Amino acid sequence: MCWSPVADLAAGTAVAAVGVVCVARVRSPRDLPLAALPLLLGAHQIVEAALWHAGGGTGPATLAWAVIALPLLPLWVPAGVLLAATGPAVRRRLSLPMAAGAATAGVLAHALATGPVTADVRGRTVAYTLGLTHVPLIAAGYLLATVGALLLSGDRWLRALGWAAGAGAVVCWAVWRWAFVSTWCAVAAVCSLVLWGWVRSRPHRAPAEGGPGPR
């Protein structure tokens, strides 16, 4: 795959458009955060297209990209899966990725608040530099929160997304280790198109017990 401003803009626009359709089709407010994930990730790629044109550096596009990729996603994904989950057993399983996401997001948010993040355009990829220690531990918490929540969701569409995102993480780490965050986020954006199938498969939620039924 050729990574470039044009590729980021085209992929981001397509993924965001699918996200708009997912949000319009959603049947329950509890499904909305996950349904909106392609919209968020598509916008994320469009931001990176602007970052390419700016030549990297430490400008607003770099900060906006880093806020979405680093503290926001490891909170958004497990929280969205937890909201959409049905059954107490599934919710108990999801407590681990939710806790990992909260802890990881806290560490990354603190790093962004106390130090600059720099984007460096290197050929066909972008590398992001942020002053972090214990990077392997943070990466493990990040992947547990995002990929782990999807795999533990109990839903076949979300598990498929988790397997695809997990495989993408392995490939991106092996091939573009110094630009892992950028390349994996792009792969995750494309993988998130699976959520269109998830939205279509979702049943209408029954009215809450004791609430008004259909008239």
Side-chain angles (χ1 to χ4, degrees):
M1 181 175 182
C2 179
W3 308 95
S4 67
V6 174
D8 268 334
L9 183 60
T13 301
V15 172
V18 173
V20 170
V21 175
C22 288
V23 169
R25 180 69 182 266
V26 76
R27 294 181 173 96
S28 167
R30 294 175 66 90
D31 293 343
L32 187 57
L34 270 187
L37 184 59
L39 181 57
L40 175 68
L41 291 175
H44 194 222
Q45 294 308 118
I46 293 171
V47 169
E48 190 167 69
L51 190 154
W52 278 91
H53 285 295
T58 58
T62 300
L63 181 59
W65 191 96
V67 167
I68 296 172
L70 300 178
L72 184 56
L73 277 181
L75 270 181
W76 187 295
V77 174
V81 175
L82 184 61
L83 277 172
T86 55
V90 176
R91 293 193 180 98
R92 283 195 297 271
R93 289 203 303 266
L94 291 170
S95 61
L96 177 59
M98 188 70 246
T104 303
V107 170
L108 293 172
H110 179 266
L112 284 175
T114 57
V117 57
T118 303
D120 182 17
V121 177
R122 301 180 181 179
R124 294 295 185 182
T125 56
V126 182
Y128 294 86
T129 303
L130 179 63
L132 290 174
T133 58
H134 309 295
V135 173
L137 182 60
I138 294 170
Y142 191 104
L143 292 175
L144 174 59
T146 52
V147 176
L150 295 167
L151 293 177
L152 292 172
S153 66
D155 181 277
R156 66 185 182 93
W157 286 100
L158 298 184
R159 284 199 302 267
L161 175 56
W163 283 116
V170 172
V171 172
C172 290
W173 181 255
V175 179
W176 300 290
R177 184 171 300 184
W178 46 272
F180 169 77
V181 178
S182 174
T183 53
W184 183 75
C185 282
V187 169
V190 175
C191 291
S192 73
L193 298 180
V194 173
L195 286 170
W196 167 235
W198 175 77
V199 168
R200 294 183 64 187
S201 74
R202 297 292 282 173
H204 288 282
R205 291 288 179 94
E209 186 177 350
R215 297 182 183 274

